Amino acid sequence: MKRAVFALLCVLLSPALLAQREQASFRYEEFGTTTFSNPEPQRLSPSARFGARQAQLNLSFRTLLGEEGETVIHNGFQYRYLLADFANVLLNAGSLPPEPYPSKEFHFLFYDFLALHSLSDAYTLVAAFRPGIFSDFKNVASEHFRIEGAVFIDRQMSESLTMGLGVARSSNFGRVLILPILHVLYFGGSTFMLDMLIPSRAELWFYPTKSLEAGVSLSLSGSQYAIGEKNPFSANQFGFANATISPILRYNLFAKLYLSAELGYAFVRRAELVNNRLEGDLRFVQRFNPANVWLMRFGLQTTY
């Protein structure tokens, strides 16, 4: 039974440590247009608006090593496109008159490596490594490249419960931080599953039919991008992140192809321009603080 749980862990923990058992996926999400909530240091016009769209593509390949498959390696790639859509946003640039801040496109592309190794019947070592480029693809330099990753150890507490602790270096908060990780995986028989990787996500899944999966997701997703394009605001980083809560429906179209759809709510939002050559609060060129808003997310996934 413990070896079976390890095998299931290898399936559930995808290279991105986000989506369940996905080999390839495409997702598109759109955040509604909204105003700003207490932007600082500069106040913005009541007519200023912000919206965002993201598209993400993920691909991975799995390899089993060892006589009993005690080591599982995922090699993959992930790409994300972000459009940060600003309207009627005027920012002061030193002594110059206020200038409009334009809508901007950002990208990340990274190699996604994940290794799971069974240390014993009870313990599993999980390590992720993500070197890549996080950038507007303008005047690309060394600061546009970054390494993120995570490492934690899972312990099988019972036949239904697995828990783990570790540490991650991630930009999910829109800033590059080193964070503790708590992993919880609980199986309620064939009825439901609770899957949490705190502080990144918490998902509760139900299986009403063989073709339909339904769940609720609480997640935190974002990144920090380098700005290579010259601008009068001296900003060289853009941080974007959202906490979201949404119901999820996933339908098995045929074979291993699934269609997923979500209609949720984004809160605790971050959109900020940063000059990381400065220290403390001086580094914040502008914290926009977008107001909470509804979001739509849908995608296609193929599973192992």
Side-chain angles (χ1 to χ4, degrees):
M1 180 65 186
K2 292 183 177 181
R3 180 62 62 182
V5 171
F6 170 71
L8 191 53
L9 275 173
C10 296
V11 171
L12 293 174
L13 286 173
S14 72
L17 293 178
L18 286 173
Q20 296 178 18
R21 64 186 187 278
E22 293 175 3
Q23 184 175 28
S25 67
F26 170 80
R27 284 182 174 83
Y28 172 83
E29 60 184 5
E30 182 160 349
F31 298 86
T33 302
T34 186
T35 57
F36 299 96
S37 175
N38 299 317
E40 53 184 358
Q42 300 184 42
R43 312 307 296 174
L44 301 177
S45 166
S47 64
R49 293 290 187 272
F50 176 74
R53 300 177 182 88
Q54 291 192 129
Q56 183 169 308
L57 180 66
N58 176 69
L59 179 66
S60 70
F61 303 92
R62 186 174 62 188
T63 304
L64 277 66
L65 303 176
E67 294 182 359
E68 298 182 2
E70 60 268 20
T71 301
V72 178
I73 303 294
H74 292 260
N75 288 284
F77 294 91
Q78 188 174 142
Y79 169 76
R80 180 184 294 171
Y81 166 84
L82 165 66
L83 172 62
D85 192 6
F86 293 92
N88 302 320
V89 173
L90 298 177
L91 296 179
N92 291 314
S95 59
L96 300 175
E99 292 199 21
Y101 189 76
S103 298
K104 289 273 294 178
E105 295 179 338
F106 297 96
H107 315 261
F108 73 47
L109 174 65
F110 59 75
Y111 163 62
D112 217 344
F113 173 85
L114 176 71
L116 299 95
H117 178 68
S118 177
L119 300 173
S120 68
D121 284 345
Y123 290 93
T124 300
L125 172 66
V126 182
F129 177 66
R130 306 194 316 183
I133 181 171
F134 303 75
S135 170
D136 62 356
F137 284 176
K138 308 289 187 182
N139 302 310
V140 176
S142 59
E143 59 265 24
H144 294 230
F145 294 86
R146 186 166 69 243
I147 295 175
E148 300 186 7
V151 61
F152 59 94
I153 293 179
D154 272 342
R155 184 178 188 273
Q156 187 178 342
M157 312 297 292
S158 68
E159 291 187 353
S160 58
L161 176 64
T162 297
M163 300 183 68
L165 292 172
V167 65
R169 184 177 192 261
S170 171
S171 59
N172 256 11
F173 284 87
R175 301 173 186 173
V176 181
L177 301 171
I178 296 177
L179 302 164
I181 292 174
L182 170 64
H183 183 226
V184 178
L185 187 62
Y186 180 79
F187 301 101
S190 60
T191 306
F192 72 91
M193 178 183 69
L194 176 65
D195 185 11
M196 298 192 299
L197 188 66
I198 306 297
S200 176
R201 58 171 169 79
E203 298 175 346
L204 179 62
W205 285 94
F206 298 91
Y207 307 100
T209 71
K210 291 184 178 180
S211 298
L212 181 65
E213 301 176 4
V216 179
S217 172
L218 177 64
S219 67
L220 177 68
S221 177
S223 193
Q224 186 181 72
Y225 304 89
I227 300 174
E229 187 174 36
K230 291 184 179 180
N231 60 88
F233 315 109
S234 301
N236 63 359
Q237 299 280 343
F238 179 73
F240 180 70
N242 299 271
T244 65
I245 184 167
S246 62
I248 307 176
L249 290 176
R250 186 159 58 184
Y251 184 74
N252 185 199
L253 296 173
F254 57 86
K256 297 183 178 181
L257 181 65
Y258 287 78
L259 172 67
S260 63
E262 303 174 51
L263 180 63
Y265 192 65
F267 60 101
V268 192
R269 307 187 69 198
R270 172 169 288 153
E272 60 188 22
L273 292 172
V274 176
N275 181 350
N276 68 359
R277 294 176 288 264
L278 302 178
E279 299 291 335
D281 286 346
L282 293 176
R283 72 185 189 277
F284 296 114
V285 176
Q286 182 66 32
R287 284 180 280 193
F288 293 102
N289 298 327
N292 299 346
V293 73
W294 293 96
L295 71 98
M296 174 189 68
R297 181 185 295 132
F298 64 87
L300 289 169
Q301 303 90 39
T302 61
T303 63
Y304 287 105

